[in-house]
Amino acid sequence: MTTIEHWINGTATSAGSTRTAPVYDPATGQRQAQVLLAEASDVDTAVAAASKAFEAWGDSSLSQRTKVMFAFRELLVKHEDELARIISGEHGKVVEDARGEIVRGREVVEYACGIADALKGSFSDQVSRDVDVHDFRQPLGVVAGITPFNFPIMVPLWMHPVAIATGNTFVLKPSERDPSASNFVAQLYAEAGLPDGVFNVVHGDKVAVDAILDHPDIAAVSFVGSTPIAKYVHERGTAAGKRVQALGGAKNHAVVLPDADLEYAANQLTAAAFGSAGQRCMAISVGVAVGAAGDKLVEILERKAREIKVGPGGDPASDMGPVVTEAARERVVNAVARGAEQGASVVVDGRGLTVDGYEEGFFVGPSLLDDVTTDMQAYREEIFGPVLAIVRAETVAEAIAIINANPYGNGTAIFTGSGEAARKFQREVKVGMIGVNVPIPVPMSYYSFGGWKDSLIGDSPIHGPAGVNFYTRAKVVTTRWPHTTTPAAAFNFPTSS
């Protein structure tokens, strides 16, 4: 049995871990490896390595940091296929979807390659006679990330490139369900020239999470996961004096108006609802059909859902792979059953799906529910699977009211040909990320990612300018220089010193 170890201070190690958890192949349902689960002492070891590395890395030049980031970016490109297959093999998503995840994560690395511009301060000359004022930002020290299973490379890449490029050292606690991608990334960092101890990976469960949240030498923690755990992480981390970036769950709506291109809208909703088997925090799980759009939209969605080819992630013919675990499959099956019991129309039923040759895999097909109301569990709960619920509304205003009444506010979209309707929607909806004829409005890396309401606990979004601010603190310096003897000139370039 392969054992997946931690990565601490530049090498794979079992540290002091004795507990393990299984790692499954979701397509076969078989256990393919085991991953070590860290004890608090293992977190201590990783933090000690990161603290030691910070002594030099925190004082490193911007040129040195960006040189590493450029090299790391090229290695991500070089090893994209291998990394995509690692992700697919442990998560279950199709290889092309895994490649897309790598590309979106790599965009944050590219942003980090230009971190020098993001770290520019401001300068005010002669604020008083012979007095100037300027500001600059410095790294915090050791920071940590706790990341979910659904994007085993992209979500960590939202964190550590910006943290490291701004001069911090990093301890990552990835999901124990699909841990191998993080170790692969650690090896790529080492090959890119990142000094030992700057990036560390500690695998584990709640024991490791609590050790990170309580550790006095960790200055900040970034988290992406469910809302209940985000609230726990925020409360416990801030109580320990840390900065905490905590992104929670979602129930994302897409509004479709009668003037929309319904074939286009249905195409987009199908991909957004069923891609990655619906295991995305930005997946569209609710379609709000307005007025006359309803019946025709459902008709097209039914056709497209039935056309989806479900199979193992490594098969190029597969459009959608399995969900990550048997428990996840049961959650989806139960959600569809509850929807039917509570009065929803099951237009497409993904329960009971089997894939030839993979009968023990964690497969469930796309499900489409119509006539869903906002008091049904299929609407209220984050299913995190391939289930699209259709809610009917008569007007744009009613659709906006439905979205605003929902406790989540991560992402939303509107499909329309009307600029007036789109402008009303984007101004009035209480959601952090909005798409206009775009189903999954994940912003580019030079903007920040973060929702509203229960989708973001606290007030710090992730990556982009907010990420730079999160991983650094500002200093403001007021100076007056007396006259002194002019020093001798130096002829070397400052970046070579």
Side-chain angles (χ1 to χ4, degrees), residues 485-490:
T485 303
T486 303

Side-chain angles (χ1 to χ4, degrees), residues 126-134 477-484:
Q126 199 76 352
V127 297
S128 186
R129 184 173 297 277
D130 298 328
V131 176
D132 307 322
V133 177
H134 73 279
V477 182
T478 304
T479 59
R480 172 184 284 133
W481 292 103
H483 177 72
T484 60

Side-chain angles (χ1 to χ4, degrees), residues 39-288:
E39 302 299 332
S41 59
D42 301 323
V43 174
D44 291 341
T45 301
V47 174
S51 296
K52 180 64 177 175
F54 179 70
E55 294 174 9
W57 188 251
D59 281 335
S60 63
S61 68
L62 284 166
S63 297
Q64 180 184 357
R65 295 180 216 158
T66 53
K67 181 180 179 181
V68 169
M69 284 297 155
F70 274 108
F72 177 56
R73 187 261 179 202
E74 292 307 301
L75 289 168
L76 285 173
V77 173
K78 178 180 178 181
H79 294 282
E80 181 179 296
D81 185 69
E82 183 178 359
L83 188 49
R85 293 188 181 281
I86 289 171
I87 294 167
S88 176
E90 291 184 350
H91 175 279
K93 65 178 64 177
V94 299
V95 170
E96 282 305 307
D97 194 17
R99 284 199 182 95
E101 171 185 349
I102 296 166
V103 170
R104 290 312 304 264
R106 195 172 69 223
E107 290 167 358
V108 180
V109 181
E110 292 163 356
Y111 177 76
C113 287
I115 205 71
D117 188 67
L119 289 175
K120 284 181 179 178
S122 59
F123 184 91
S124 295
D125 173 69
Q126 199 76 352
V127 297
S128 186
R129 184 173 297 277
D130 298 328
V131 176
D132 307 322
V133 177
H134 73 279
D135 66 353
F136 63 100
R137 305 192 72 85
Q138 288 186 307
L140 303 177
V142 181
V143 299
I146 302 167
T147 57
F149 78 88
N150 60 325
F151 287 104
I153 186 168
M154 186 185 75
V155 170
L157 283 172
W158 286 355
M159 301 173 184
H160 54 74
V162 176
I164 291 170
T166 52
N168 301 278
T169 55
F170 203 90
V171 177
L172 173 64
K173 205 300 287 183
S175 171
E176 65 275 22
R177 297 179 190 175
D178 44 13
S180 295
S182 296
N183 283 26
F184 194 89
V185 164
Q187 295 173 43
L188 296 186
Y189 263 134
E191 188 176 344
L194 190 69
D196 293 348
V198 176
F199 180 72
N200 306 274
V201 180
V202 177
H203 301 290
D205 52 11
K206 187 175 183 295
V207 172
V209 169
D210 287 348
I212 287 170
L213 296 176
D214 295 341
H215 204 291
D217 294 331
I218 294 178
V221 175
S222 300
F223 172 85
V224 175
S226 70
T227 292
I229 305 303
K231 290 179 177 179
Y232 173 82
V233 167
H234 188 268
E235 180 179 357
R236 187 159 181 161
T238 53
K242 305 183 192 315
R243 291 186 179 185
V244 178
Q245 200 174 47
L247 281 67
K251 197 72 176 179
N252 303 315
H253 301 64
V255 175
V256 181
L257 301 189
D259 67 351
D261 181 331
L262 295 185
E263 189 77 23
Y264 172 83
N267 263 332
Q268 301 301 308
L269 263 64
T270 299
F274 305 130
S276 197
Q279 297 173 123
R280 296 169 173 162
C281 63
M282 288 293 285
I284 293 297
S285 54
V286 179
V288 183

